[in-house]
Structure formats: structure tokens, C-alpha cells
Amino acid sequence: MEIWINPACSKCRSAITLLDAEGAEYTVRRYLEDVPTEDEIRAVLDRLGLEPWDITRTQEAAAQELGLKDWGRDDENRDRWIAALSAHPKLIQRPIITADDGTAVVARSEDAVRDALGR
């Protein structure tokens, strides 16, 4: 299991605390330092069953600077969103846990973390 985190994020710290309390084995990826490639983002989106706009933090300054709210949310614009997430990793919703069964969850709640642990 791998968890993508920003150490400054309280949701990330809570997820790590719960994983530790449950004795889970996992790898931490500080995705602001170890930035995911576009292919890695595509793979995580496939595992999540989501689109790039579904995991984008649209209130971040970079999102506003890029004008993301005006971008199309369709197949034609999908690669543009993925490129933006890779170029500006702070836009990626966090934490994301990739589970051992090949799926992933956006683990912003205790229930979501527990869901990942059960996979």
C-alpha cells in the first residue's frame, strides 16, 4: 500500500495516524517532492475510477491562475487536466491511498482509510 501525502495537511496526518494504529504496512510518497508523472496520475485515476477534475483542488491559487474552472470536463480535455496535476502537484487532492488489491481511495475521512485497509 502507498499513501500520497503532503505532511502539512491535517487529513494526511490523520490518515497516517490511523494506518499506524492499525499496524498497516505502507510506503509514504511526499508527492510535492516526488512529483507523479502524467502516466502515474493516469494509473491512479484508473485505480480510483475517477477523472482528473474529480481529484483537483480547484480552490488552490494555481488552479485559479490556470483558469481551471473554465476548462472542459470531458475526454477532449482530460490530458490537459492530467498535465496540470503533474506540473502543479499541489492541485492533487490528498491523501490518496493505493490499496494492495489494485484499487485506490481518496482517504480524506477515517471511513475511507478503513476502506483502503479492508482491501
Side-chain angles (χ1 to χ4, degrees), residues 5 28 41 47 49 52 59 73 79 92 97 105 113-114:
I5 68 159
V28 171
I41 292 169
R47 292 175 80 165
Q59 300 304 312
R73 295 179 179 215
D79 286 341
I92 299 171
I97 297 175
V105 296
V113 176
R114 290 193 185 285

Side-chain angles (χ1 to χ4, degrees), residues 58-114:
T58 57
Q59 300 304 312
E60 292 288 334
Q64 294 171 9
E65 290 169 16
L66 291 169
L68 291 182
K69 69 177 183 169
D70 298 324
W71 290 14
R73 295 179 179 215
D74 53 27
D75 285 344
E76 187 176 310
N77 288 284
R78 188 174 198 267
D79 286 341
R80 183 180 186 197
W81 283 86
I82 291 168
L85 291 173
S86 184
H88 306 277
K90 195 169 187 179
L91 295 176
I92 299 171
Q93 191 60 261
R94 59 187 184 253
I96 293 176
I97 297 175
T98 55
D100 292 336
D101 70 351
T103 62
V105 296
V106 178
R108 296 191 51 77
S109 70
E110 184 176 319
D111 286 342
V113 176
R114 290 193 185 285

Side-chain angles (χ1 to χ4, degrees), residues 17-90:
T17 298
L18 182 54
L19 290 174
D20 288 344
E22 294 295 325
E25 291 185 27
Y26 61 92
T27 302
V28 171
R29 180 171 186 171
R30 293 178 178 215
Y31 71 92
L32 297 179
E33 298 163 14
D34 183 7
V35 178
T37 65
E38 291 181 28
D39 285 341
E40 288 174 315
I41 292 169
R42 280 186 191 87
V44 164
L45 288 168
D46 288 346
R47 292 175 80 165
L48 288 166
L50 296 174
E51 294 297 337
W53 45 86
D54 296 327
I55 65 162
T56 301
R57 297 172 55 85
T58 57
Q59 300 304 312
E60 292 288 334
Q64 294 171 9
E65 290 169 16
L66 291 169
L68 291 182
K69 69 177 183 169
D70 298 324
W71 290 14
R73 295 179 179 215
D74 53 27
D75 285 344
E76 187 176 310
N77 288 284
R78 188 174 198 267
D79 286 341
R80 183 180 186 197
W81 283 86
I82 291 168
L85 291 173
S86 184
H88 306 277
K90 195 169 187 179

